[in-house]
Amino acid sequence: MLKIKNLKVELEEENKEILKGINLEIESGSVHAIMGPNGSGKSTLSYVLSGKKGYKVTNGEVELAGEPILELEPEERAASGLFLAFQYPVEIPGVGNMTFLRTAMNSQRKFRGETELSAADFLKLVREKAKELKIDSEMLKRPVNVGFSGGEKKRNEILQMALLEPKMCVLDETDSGLDVDAMKLVADGVNALRDKGRAFLVITHYQRLLDHIKPDFVHIMADGRIIKSGGPELALQVENNGYSDLLAEVQ
Amino acid sequence: MTSLDVKDGVDQETVEAVRSVGGHYKYGWETEIEMDYAPKGLDSDIVRLISAKNNEPEWMTNWRLDAFSRWEKLEEPNWAMVDYPKIDYQDIYYYASPKSMAEKPKSLDDVDPKLLETYKKLGIPLKEQLILAGVEGAEDVNLDERKVAVDAVFDSVSIGTTFKDELRKAGVIFCSISEAITEHPELVKKYLGSVVPVTDNYFATLNSAVFSDGSFVYIPEGVRCPMELSTYFRINAENTGQFERTLIIAEKGSYVSYLEGCTAPKRDTNQLHAAIVELVILEDAEVKYSTVQNWYPGDENGLGGIYNFVTKRADCRGDRSKVMWTQVETGSAVTWKYPSCILRGNESQGEFYSIAIANNFQQADTGTKMIHLGKNTKSRIVSKGISAGNAQNTYRGLVSMHPKATSSRNYTQCDSLLIGNKCGAHTVPYIEVKNNSSRVEHEATTSKVDDDQLFYCRQRGVNEEDAVALVVNGFCKEVLQALPMEFAMEAQQLVAISLEGSVG
Ligand SMILES: Nc1ncnc2c1ncn2[C@@H]1O[C@H](COP(=O)(O)OP(=O)(O)OP(=O)(O)O)[C@@H](O)[C@H]1O
Ligand SMILES: [Mg+2]
């Protein structure tokens, strides 16, 4: 589903390399987790994948479902099925959450040459998905993320994901700031979407989320590189011993 | 104007509308129609001719001539933060009217098809097109449930007013100002120029001399106007100034909501529009006046466009009277406009909600004046200025609390949004408080369209231009909500359209 080949990225403003040769292959139907110390480049990777400005790709390639995507606009990548649940979801004052969702959904459908959803069908769909995530209708009417609590913002990201049904879902620390019950809701939301035709890249600091969303592979990222890959046991090792052993291993 | 269910920020329809217009000024075509012009230039003979064309009584002709002689002695003002080449007032036509209007058509067959075509393109429904085209008896045709009475002004003359009979039953007078001058001279004599005096300012004096048409509204005591009233202004003829004049009188305890829309064809030359709007509001009466101004703004290099120099003022004469100005100013090359409220009555209230968008080389210097004269008067100003491209956008506002305006209040919120880094936003508040029981609050912010917001939208699949429209519509939400439903939709689309080409 997603193929990252020797990806090197610098900041556009200054000559600082953040990603120093990332290789990663994510099969359709699988869940990969990335863990790693603060500042190791996890969010940067998610931004570069989704096409945020401010980064310069100096080497490498990224393919989504077999198509190279680094030349595409962010909205084109989105319409091709890439979704990023933001570590810090953005507030958009004055724009109703519902309006935003509908605009996004219809934009993507239009881009793919599909017919737009009628207002009635859309409403029905949103209400259904929102209910599963215990998002009340009040929250749907409020402006996008404005005044939402940290946990509400994260749940709102998952709601968007559930509606847009992307093929490749990148979740950047969707678990941080969630209480135990909310974590369960989010994990259920993700698990409900697990499917042969869909893949997940879950960035997290905590093993706890991975108890709910069982990953097929775990990768450890440090200083812009993936320094170790393994199965779910790797996450447990990090949880118990931190990163120092792993870091020492590479040096 | 039929779909009314959308009011929640921007909607998908907005985005579609943007696509459907495909990056062009939507009303930029011109109607090729035989026109009846007065000779170019301005002197007292032209003033007399305009008066004669409208079959005006002598007192009106003299009123105009008096204004003209005063205007000749005035200097064009230059204090606004706008910059445009000197206007040659002798190179403008002051009167243009479709020839076919000289005689009223009797049926559809007699109507100049070009005129009908114009209205059709403007999105005015057919039955109303008939009425506007002046077809006798068209009003008896069963109209749809839409209740917006329309007066349309095409270049210099009013084409027709719909729903006249229904309004008359309610005692409401809604007609062209030229008709009012002949049919209701006592009202016109009493109120014309009583809010904006002939000598108020250069453009007001010019308008007083040469105004050719406009709308007149009279709402009798205690009457709530049964429908929205609206005027549609269109400049069609080239090198023609449009000088319309609107006079609205709301008697004690009455209510009216009035909408005004404007468009003009695309041209390389600049055209002058200098209008006056006077609102007289008596005890316990309320007037809502909304404008969607979409005159041709000029092209992306700053060529052409309308000079929009307008004086609008409401006089809240009666106690507890209320006025609300709402404006969406997206068009014109240069805008110079300060809809004002004179809060004369005790406990009277004035509100001003404004969205001013300047893109490419547009210049807007706009704001309001709140003159508090009565006790316990209240005013509220919410201004949203958006600048993009090379545009300059200035908010200029005066809040004045006179010594007798005790315990009065003003709240001003003035937000500017910048798109790109070649444009400018300026806020020029003037505040005078001459008593110590009144309170004035002023808040101002300037921000840039946030890249993170745009990226967030784009990550969800919304393209960059639509993302800007979405964010800007969110920024303007408070003002959009103040508009009547029918206009809110149109205004959202306009916001999107007028920002085209502002990113990327
Ligand atoms: N726009 C930027 N300007 C300056 N430095 C940046 C920028 N973007 C990323 N960086 C730097 O790149 C490094 C990687 O940041 P990134 O946000 O990707 O880390 P992360 O692994 O997501 O960390 P965390 O676990 O704290 O979320 C950090 O040192 C960060 O300061
Ligand atoms: Mg991060």
Side-chain angles (χ1 to χ4, degrees):
Chain A
M1 176 65 68
L2 186 73
K3 226 184 244 177
I4 305 173
K5 278 185 259 175
N6 200 20
L7 183 67
K8 293 186 182 170
V9 172
E10 282 177 12
L11 291 178
E12 213 159 58
E13 301 275 288
E14 44 187 306
N15 266 352
K16 187 178 165 198
E17 189 166 60
I18 311 280
L19 300 181
K20 302 173 179 173
I22 302 278
N23 288 291
L24 190 61
E25 214 166 301
I26 300 177
E27 297 290 327
S28 192
S30 68
V31 174
H32 288 233
I34 292 189
M35 301 179 87
N38 292 131
S40 54
K42 304 181 297 297
S43 293
T44 303
L45 176 63
S46 74
Y47 287 148
V48 172
L49 291 177
S50 47
K52 192 176 180 180
K53 285 181 197 159
Y55 302 97
K56 195 163 75 196
V57 175
T58 54
N59 191 69
E61 271 170 48
V62 176
E63 282 174 11
L64 177 67
E67 299 295 327
I69 59 166
L70 288 177
E71 297 297 316
L72 300 182
E73 297 293 334
E75 56 271 26
E76 295 172 323
R77 302 182 196 199
S80 314
L82 182 73
F83 181 90
L84 169 61
F86 285 62
Q87 182 174 359
Y88 305 107
V90 180
E91 301 184 357
I92 311 179
V95 178
N97 213 8
M98 198 80 109
T99 304
F100 179 74
L101 287 169
R102 184 154 170 243
T103 307
M105 189 143 186
N106 282 336
S107 297
Q108 290 202 14
R109 293 178 78 101
K110 210 161 186 177
F111 187 89
R112 294 193 292 255
E114 299 162 13
T115 55
E116 293 184 9
L117 225 54
S118 75
D121 288 346
F122 171 77
L123 266 174
K124 208 172 136 224
L125 191 66
V126 179
R127 295 222 173 98
E128 191 182 300
K129 303 277 183 194
K131 203 169 151 210
E132 284 166 17
L133 287 157
K134 296 222 164 69
I135 290 175
D136 65 24
S137 53
E138 206 33 53
M139 219 167 106
L140 290 173
K141 284 187 211 144
R142 278 159 56 187
V144 181
N145 293 325
V146 177
F148 286 26
S149 77
E152 284 169 345
K153 284 182 184 169
K154 296 299 174 77
R155 267 187 287 154
N156 198 33
E157 294 290 286
I158 300 303
L159 172 66
Q160 296 181 38
M161 185 170 84
L163 277 171
L164 296 170
E165 302 187 318
K167 287 190 287 203
M168 180 68 228
C169 310
V170 181
L171 277 63
D172 192 356
E173 296 199 27
T174 302
D175 53 332
S176 44
L178 292 183
D179 65 38
V180 183
D181 295 336
M183 167 107 69
K184 180 90 176 37
L185 278 177
V186 164
D188 289 348
V190 171
N191 288 330
L193 282 172
R194 280 180 86 153
D195 182 272
K196 282 199 297 294
R198 183 172 289 128
F200 290 85
L201 179 60
V202 181
I203 298 169
T204 181
H205 285 295
Y206 306 106
Q207 153 67 26
R208 212 174 46 173
L209 178 71
L210 304 180
D211 282 342
H212 297 292
I213 308 172
K214 287 263 179 310
D216 300 300
F217 297 95
V218 175
H219 311 278
I220 307 299
M221 189 155 160
D223 192 25
R225 289 187 183 88
I226 289 176
I227 56 164
K228 188 162 182 147
S229 299
E233 74 287 348
L234 200 52
L236 270 173
Q237 189 187 333
V238 169
E239 180 88 349
N240 295 330
N241 310 329
Y243 294 108
S244 42
D245 293 359
L246 289 166
L247 287 173
E249 246 175 72
V250 256
Q251 262 147 33
Chain B
M1 286 209 185
T2 40
S3 162
L4 303 180
D5 55 342
V6 191
K7 242 203 152 181
D8 183 24
V10 75
D11 207 274
Q12 186 55 31
E13 282 83 351
T14 306
V15 168
E16 273 160 42
V18 178
R19 283 213 190 90
S20 68
V21 243
H24 297 293
Y25 179 72
K26 194 168 159 192
Y27 304 103
W29 36 269
E30 85 181 270
T31 308
E32 272 186 39
I33 207 164
E34 258 200 280
M35 297 296 288
D36 186 8
Y37 289 101
K40 250 188 194 175
L42 186 55
D43 58 21
S44 54
D45 286 345
I46 294 288
V47 174
R48 277 198 193 87
L49 181 126
I50 294 168
S51 189
K53 285 271 181 196
N54 289 335
N55 301 315
E56 285 173 0
E58 205 186 331
W59 60 268
M60 196 63 232
T61 316
N62 291 335
W63 197 83
R64 288 173 179 277
L65 287 169
D66 172 57
F68 177 68
S69 67
R70 288 166 192 266
W71 179 74
E72 282 187 304
K73 296 181 199 93
L74 293 175
E75 291 275 337
E76 197 173 325
N78 59 6
W79 45 262
M81 208 177 283
V82 293
D83 185 21
Y84 54 90
K86 195 129 191 66
I87 298 171
D88 181 356
Y89 289 91
Q90 297 306 332
D91 194 34
I92 295 174
Y93 291 107
Y94 288 83
Y95 187 86
S97 144
K99 265 200 180 140
S100 57
M101 287 308 292
E103 247 175 84
K104 258 202 167 194
K106 294 273 180 301
S107 78
L108 188 54
D109 298 338
D110 299 337
V111 178
D112 191 328
K114 301 240 177 63
L115 209 55
L116 281 183
E117 191 56 30
T118 303
Y119 293 126
K120 206 166 119 200
K121 281 200 208 164
L122 291 169
I124 297 173
L126 179 76
K127 283 167 196 161
E128 286 175 1
Q129 289 171 37
L130 292 181
I131 297 171
L132 289 173
V135 175
E136 286 173 10
E139 207 163 339
D140 301 331
V141 180
N142 180 32
L143 285 149
D144 304 320
E145 68 278 16
R146 198 174 84 98
K147 291 282 179 159
V148 181
V150 185
D151 185 19
V153 177
F154 192 87
D155 289 324
S156 302
V157 290
S158 169
I159 303 291
T161 310
T162 62
F163 285 107
K164 227 182 222 173
D165 281 341
E166 202 172 333
L167 289 167
R168 201 175 288 135
K169 272 179 215 138
V172 172
I173 305 171
F174 179 33
C175 62
S176 71
I177 192 109
S178 52
E179 194 179 329
I181 289 166
T182 46
E183 304 289 316
H184 310 282
E186 65 305 333
L187 288 172
V188 177
K189 261 190 201 166
K190 185 168 172 192
Y191 293 109
L192 190 76
S194 75
V195 183
V196 178
V198 169
T199 50
D200 191 79
N201 68 71
Y202 187 81
F203 299 111
T205 311
L206 176 63
N207 175 290
S208 302
V210 303
F211 75 88
S212 32
D213 218 329
S215 298
F216 176 84
V217 177
Y218 176 81
I219 316 285
E221 188 168 335
V223 170
R224 202 183 156 84
C225 187
M227 63 190 80
E228 304 262 355
L229 302 184
S230 104
T231 300
Y232 207 93
F233 294 111
R234 176 160 178 85
I235 299 179
N236 188 61
E238 191 158 11
N239 296 323
T240 302
Q242 181 152 342
F243 306 93
E244 80 271 358
R245 182 133 196 155
T246 301
L247 175 59
I248 298 179
I249 302 147
E251 289 279 10
K252 285 182 188 171
S254 65
Y255 168 86
V256 65
S257 168
Y258 187 91
L259 330 168
E260 172 194 69
C262 332
T263 61
K266 257 181 178 171
R267 287 189 206 291
D268 296 347
T269 48
N270 294 104
Q271 279 173 288
L272 177 64
H273 171 250
I276 291 183
V277 175
E278 296 180 281
L279 312 182
V280 178
I281 310 170
L282 301 174
E283 244 169 80
D284 296 301
E286 182 178 352
V287 175
K288 285 188 181 160
Y289 195 104
S290 312
T291 304
V292 173
Q293 185 267 110
N294 182 28
W295 298 116
Y296 180 53
D299 69 8
E300 61 280 6
N301 300 312
L303 190 65
I306 302 290
Y307 294 153
N308 187 32
F309 303 147
V310 172
T311 307
K312 293 184 170 177
R313 196 170 300 156
D315 191 351
C316 288
R317 289 191 189 163
D319 292 348
R320 295 168 304 278
S321 56
K322 254 184 176 171
V323 64
M324 179 165 140
W325 294 105
T326 307
Q327 60 172 25
V328 178
E329 301 281 324
T330 64
S332 297
V334 181
T335 295
W336 180 100
K337 177 184 173 190
Y338 316 89
S340 308
C341 305
I342 301 171
L343 304 173
R344 205 184 294 279
N346 293 329
E347 292 168 54
S348 58
Q349 289 182 29
E351 288 175 78
F352 174 76
Y353 292 92
S354 167
I355 297 170
I357 299 183
N359 192 4
N360 297 320
F361 286 87
Q362 279 177 279
Q363 306 172 60
D365 192 307
T366 183
T368 184
K369 288 189 243 175
M370 295 291 176
I371 315 284
H372 292 251
L373 303 175
K375 289 190 194 65
N376 291 310
T377 47
K378 271 194 209 138
S379 64
R380 183 183 171 85
I381 300 170
V382 177
S383 159
K384 305 277 181 179
I386 296 117
S387 324
N390 291 283
Q392 295 296 326
N393 204 331
T394 303
Y395 167 80
R396 191 183 298 277
L398 167 71
V399 177
S400 171
M401 303 278 185
H402 282 237
K404 285 188 184 145
T406 49
S407 307
S408 295
R409 246 168 222 142
N410 161 265
Y411 172 73
T412 300
Q413 183 194 329
C414 189
D415 300 319
S416 306
L417 188 68
L418 300 172
I419 302 173
N421 41 27
K422 284 179 288 184
C423 54
H426 318 274
T427 303
V428 191
Y430 305 90
I431 298 170
E432 316 166 344
V433 183
K434 298 206 177 107
N435 68 65
N436 41 28
S437 57
S438 292
R439 210 171 67 211
V440 174
E441 274 178 83
H442 181 95
E443 282 175 30
T445 65
T446 301
S447 50
K448 290 199 117 193
V449 165
D450 182 21
D451 280 342
D452 286 341
Q453 286 176 344
L454 295 184
F455 176 62
Y456 190 69
C457 296
R458 297 179 75 188
Q459 207 303 305
R460 299 302 184 246
V462 182
N463 73 41
E464 193 170 19
E465 218 153 61
D466 293 349
V468 170
L470 200 63
V471 170
V472 172
N473 267 308
F475 171 78
C476 299
K477 174 118 189 226
E478 255 178 293
V479 177
L480 289 170
Q481 276 176 329
L483 283 171
M485 292 271 213
E486 292 91 335
F487 265 24
M489 264 290 298
E490 196 179 326
Q492 285 183 12
Q493 297 175 0
L494 266 182
V495 167
I497 291 165
S498 53
L499 287 170
E500 275 178 13
S502 64
V503 288

